[in-house]
Amino acid sequence: MKILVITGSPRKNGNSNTLAENFIKGAEEAGHTVVRFDSAFKNVHPCVACNKCGMNGQCVFKDDFEFVKANIIDADAVVFATPMYYFGISAQIKAVIDRFYAINGQIHVPKKAVLLMTYADTSEKEAQPIISHYESLIKYLGWSDAGKVIAPGVWPEGAVKYTKYPEDAYTLGKSL
Ligand SMILES: Cc1cc2nc3c(=O)[nH]c(=O)nc-3n(C[C@H](O)[C@H](O)[C@H](O)COP(=O)(O)O)c2cc1C
């Protein structure tokens, strides 16, 4: 299986990247091929709604999204790894998702999807907007949820290492 992992945190050793790394370790051990796109360290211009792509064509911006385009169409699974920023996903990963617009016609094919998300608060309720966004997105695309690792109560970089969630991400990657 080919898996595209899209991360959204600017903290290289941050909590969502730690979940992504553990997920990737499990997936690779299970024999899957993993490609990774770290949105926060790439140049991806936000969609400007010019509609030149017609939702299925060439985007006016030729930037690092080309990598996502080249790897998402034939991916069997797509993983979204993001911190919570003001109750939503990070702007960095959202910019990448919005650019799906130009390849919308090519990605409505069955794929598995995974959500890895970290946040500082401990209330489960506060994770709901991101979970709901993720579920709406994959339903629209015709993808199916293969699992989520939602890690509350982690604020400083690295805090997630002292929880069970990296192990959960590893197990999810291995079981995919
Ligand atoms: C701009 C910004 C906004 C944040 N907003 C929230 C929030 O709404 N709720 C919350 O619980 N934590 C919030 N946090 C904390 C992060 O979600 C938390 O530290 C997370 O584990 C960071 O993941 P990372 O290490 O992968 O970047 C915010 C952090 C930043 C920098």
Side-chain angles (χ1 to χ4, degrees):
M1 196 185 289
K2 175 176 173 178
I3 304 171
L4 171 64
V5 176
I6 306 173
T7 70
S9 175
R11 300 205 289 194
K12 275 201 168 120
N13 299 310
N15 299 314
S16 53
N17 278 329
T18 298
L19 296 187
E21 275 146 30
N22 279 271
F23 176 91
I24 291 168
K25 185 168 181 278
E28 287 181 336
E29 281 178 18
H32 301 304
T33 302
V34 180
V35 287
R36 175 173 174 163
F37 187 79
D38 293 310
S39 308
F41 300 93
K42 303 292 180 190
N43 174 33
V44 177
H45 198 288
C47 175
V48 294
C50 66
N51 215 21
K52 294 260 168 46
C53 64
M55 290 184 86
N56 193 12
Q58 186 57 52
C59 180
V60 293
F61 297 112
K62 294 209 174 46
D63 57 21
D64 291 333
F65 186 76
E66 295 293 323
F67 179 90
V68 177
K69 184 176 175 177
N71 285 287
I72 199 171
I73 292 164
D74 69 345
D76 303 291
V78 179
V79 178
F80 300 97
T82 183
M84 179 189 292
Y85 281 179
Y86 290 95
F87 309 99
I89 60 177
S90 76
Q92 292 90 335
I93 199 168
K94 184 63 164 65
V96 172
I97 293 169
D98 288 352
R99 291 282 296 279
F100 287 2
Y101 191 79
I103 52 170
N104 196 67
Q106 295 166 76
I107 56 173
H108 280 262
V109 287
K111 296 182 194 297
K112 290 180 192 287
V114 168
L115 175 65
L116 309 174
M117 196 273 280
T118 62
Y119 65 115
D121 210 290
T122 51
S123 154
E124 267 183 45
K125 203 175 82 183
E126 295 192 353
Q128 283 311 311
I130 291 180
I131 293 171
S132 173
H133 179 194
Y134 162 79
E135 284 176 348
S136 300
L137 173 69
I138 65 168
K139 185 175 177 213
Y140 168 71
L141 292 169
W143 301 357
S144 58
D145 179 40
K148 306 177 191 71
V149 177
I150 307 295
V154 290
W155 164 231
E157 192 170 26
V160 81
K161 289 185 180 146
Y162 306 100
T163 71
K164 70 183 186 73
Y165 300 108
E167 183 68 23
D168 288 353
Y170 169 80
T171 305
L172 180 57
K174 194 142 189 170
S175 70
L176 209 68

